Amino acid sequence: MFKVLFLFLFSTIFLFSNEIEFKEEKYIDALNTSVYRNGILNINKDFIKVAYPQQDKSFTFTKENIIEKNAKKENIITYEDNLDLTIFSKIIESIYTNKVENIKEYFDIKKSNKVTTLLPNEYVANVIDKIEYQKIDSKLKFLKIYFTNNDWINIVQTQ
């Protein structure tokens, strides 16, 4: 469950406007296949919401907690109870505000040829190999997350 949530939360990093439509490709190495889905990201000064309408699933990041919803239930996750989700929310906020330096305690940041690469420290490196993304102005050209098990996620903003 955590890995699915981890993948989902990490895939929401590209927060760059009030409402963003995106396409996500998740490659699963063990099955040698990709899964595709579309999502919508809404950004407000008090919260960030990521929704997958076709799956009737969403995550809302507030200042106090994370709310996971699906058609049947709502689950509240506190930041204090889950350090991993706390790190992910910092990543999301840092990229959204263009303050990537705010996640230096978790990642080394390298920039070259307009691509930003985040190299994880020991704590995050047991799951993530690296993250690469490129923004043109405020639009995400791509975000690719490489996992240590050879899975990866590629996200492209569609609007």
Side-chain angles (χ1 to χ4, degrees), residues 20-82:
I20 299 168
E21 293 179 15
F22 63 92
K23 287 189 175 198
E24 175 184 301
E25 176 185 5
K26 180 168 55 169
Y27 174 76
I28 304 164
D29 184 59
L31 301 175
N32 192 28
T33 192
S34 290
V35 176
Y36 300 88
R37 60 185 176 174
N38 296 318
I40 299 171
L41 178 67
N42 290 298
I43 300 167
N44 183 295
K45 68 176 185 153
D46 296 322
F47 66 87
I48 298 168
K49 183 177 181 180
V50 180
Y52 291 101
Q54 295 168 330
Q55 296 175 330
D56 199 19
K57 187 170 189 171
S58 70
F59 288 83
T60 303
F61 298 85
T62 68
K63 292 178 183 175
E64 296 81 33
N65 52 45
I66 300 169
I67 303 165
E68 176 186 11
K69 281 187 179 180
N70 64 33
K72 298 179 182 179
K73 69 177 184 172
E74 179 176 300
N75 185 27
I76 297 176
I77 305 163
T78 64
Y79 291 109
E80 294 81 27
D81 290 340
N82 194 316

Side-chain angles (χ1 to χ4, degrees), residues 7-145:
L7 293 173
F8 175 81
L9 291 174
F10 228 96
S11 71
T12 64
I13 290 177
F14 61 97
L15 310 171
F16 303 110
S17 70
N18 284 338
E19 186 172 284
I20 299 168
E21 293 179 15
F22 63 92
K23 287 189 175 198
E24 175 184 301
E25 176 185 5
K26 180 168 55 169
Y27 174 76
I28 304 164
D29 184 59
L31 301 175
N32 192 28
T33 192
S34 290
V35 176
Y36 300 88
R37 60 185 176 174
N38 296 318
I40 299 171
L41 178 67
N42 290 298
I43 300 167
N44 183 295
K45 68 176 185 153
D46 296 322
F47 66 87
I48 298 168
K49 183 177 181 180
V50 180
Y52 291 101
Q54 295 168 330
Q55 296 175 330
D56 199 19
K57 187 170 189 171
S58 70
F59 288 83
T60 303
F61 298 85
T62 68
K63 292 178 183 175
E64 296 81 33
N65 52 45
I66 300 169
I67 303 165
E68 176 186 11
K69 281 187 179 180
N70 64 33
K72 298 179 182 179
K73 69 177 184 172
E74 179 176 300
N75 185 27
I76 297 176
I77 305 163
T78 64
Y79 291 109
E80 294 81 27
D81 290 340
N82 194 316
L83 182 59
D84 295 331
L85 294 178
T86 301
I87 293 169
F88 303 143
S89 67
K90 285 182 180 185
I91 293 168
I92 291 167
E93 183 67 21
S94 296
I95 291 177
Y96 169 65
T97 60
N98 292 320
K99 295 180 181 175
V100 181
E101 66 275 359
N102 289 346
I103 56 173
K104 282 188 176 180
E105 79 181 275
Y106 305 109
F107 292 93
D108 290 327
I109 301 161
K110 308 285 184 205
K111 293 185 181 187
S112 64
N113 297 329
K114 300 181 183 178
V115 173
T116 302
T117 302
L118 304 177
L119 301 169
N121 68 10
E122 288 181 30
Y123 180 74
V124 182
N126 62 353
V127 178
I128 297 173
D129 193 33
K130 68 180 175 180
I131 299 169
E132 295 178 331
Y133 70 93
Q134 182 180 16
K135 288 171 55 177
I136 297 177
D137 297 322
S138 63
K139 185 172 182 176
L140 181 71
K141 186 169 181 181
F142 74 89
L143 167 73
K144 194 159 186 180
I145 304 161

